[in-house]
Amino acid sequence: MTTVIVERAGTVARITLNRPDKLNAFTEELHQELFAALGEAEAQGARAVLLTGAGRGFCAGQDLNQRKPGEVFDSTATLKRLYNPLIRRIRALPMPVVCAVNGVAAGAGVSLALACDVVLAARSATFLQAFARLGLVPDSGATWMLPRLIGDARARGLALLAEKITAEQALSWGLIWQVHDDDKLMAEASALATRLGDGPTAGYAKIKQAFAASADNTLDQQLDLEAELQGKAAQSADFKEGVAAFLEKRGARFTGR
Ligand code: T3D
């Protein structure tokens, strides 16, 4: 792989987008390699994924060198073939996915970050719904995720005005989980990913399943789903360990099963 770096640290698969000179903008190759890296992480039993970008940017969305005026391309086909499967793949991963937004995230780069479960950002990072600057529509899930995370008014403002917001603003609006000083971001993100990677993996998968379903469910349906998932979680080795650790006043040693 050249546009993506995959490293394993204990239970965590760290995936770094690696086109720093172009702020890690998406090419076909980067799409293919990122998709493959996520599959590899799951196949090799990683219990958490940490996604970040090399250099000063996180991801600047579609590489616009491949959208030059006069060139033939089909954006609907590209979204259906590359972007949408990527967002679905991340959402469907059973293990927690931590995103460390190390610099600017623009266009589908924002959607990529927001598809992850826990998003941390460097204090200097920015978020830009760049689409309207180009006459495009926010994509890769942006029009679904943004109103749910920050409300309709802010989502529409970001999409229509295409103004950059800072990491602090993203945090105060509820778009992301935490902001860290630039030089601390990766240490904080790695520690968080390791904590999740050493956690009750099967239980986390059920938590993700419950949240995924909640967007379309009524409260009644969600109550039923929670009861069903809890029944399974309560049969797990990790629940037994969690209770034993509590009663013995020690830290739990989860195996993920
Ligand atoms: O057809 C379809 O596939 C539809 C799907 C669309 C999905 C999308 O994501 S559409 C949105 C595409 N992205 C953008 O519109 C963002 C474009 N980039 C920017 O607006 C700015 O670069 C940033 C705000 C992200 C960062 O600005 P700044 O000043 O910090 O950096 P810069 O100087 O503009 O960029 C640094 C380099 O990265 C520069 O290359 P150079 O001149 O040094 O060789 C720049 O051209 C390159 N770069 C940044 N973004 C892209 C890019 N190259 C290609 N594509 C990019 N998206």
Side-chain angles (χ1 to χ4, degrees), residues 89-209:
R89 186 75 176 96
I90 293 171
R91 282 286 164 136
L93 282 173
M95 69 290 238
V97 184
V98 175
C99 183
V101 180
N102 52 299
V104 62
V110 178
S111 306
L112 174 65
L114 299 183
C116 301
D117 297 300
V118 183
V119 185
L120 280 57
R123 205 166 297 283
S124 70
T126 52
F127 296 80
L128 171 63
Q129 289 296 307
F131 305 94
R133 291 189 180 187
L134 304 169
L136 290 180
V137 178
D139 63 24
S140 308
T143 59
W144 191 90
M145 294 187 269
L146 284 175
R148 283 171 170 78
L149 287 167
I150 59 176
D152 204 50
R154 285 168 169 161
R156 283 175 194 248
L158 286 185
L160 293 169
L161 300 172
E163 287 175 9
K164 236 185 225 178
I165 60 166
T166 62
E168 291 289 356
Q169 201 167 356
L171 179 66
S172 75
W173 284 5
L175 192 67
I176 61 173
W177 173 243
Q178 282 176 347
V179 173
H180 293 282
D181 290 340
D182 290 21
D183 59 348
K184 304 261 169 33
L185 175 72
M186 287 319 297
E188 292 287 346
S190 297
L192 189 62
T194 298
R195 181 176 138 198
L196 289 166
D198 293 344
T201 311
Y204 288 152
K206 293 177 184 64
I207 292 173
K208 290 184 65 161
Q209 203 183 326

Side-chain angles (χ1 to χ4, degrees), residues 19-26 31 56 59-67 73-76 78-79 83 104-109 126 128-131 133-134 136-137 139-140 164:
R19 298 189 68 227
D21 294 349
K22 299 296 173 193
L23 305 180
N24 305 313
F26 277 110
H31 268 291
R56 73 174 179 87
C59 176
Q62 170 63 36
D63 190 316
L64 297 174
N65 289 308
Q66 301 183 341
R67 295 293 180 272
F73 56 88
D74 179 343
S75 294
T76 299
T78 305
L79 288 171
Y83 286 92
V104 62
T126 52
L128 171 63
Q129 289 296 307
F131 305 94
R133 291 189 180 187
L134 304 169
L136 290 180
V137 178
D139 63 24
S140 308
K164 236 185 225 178

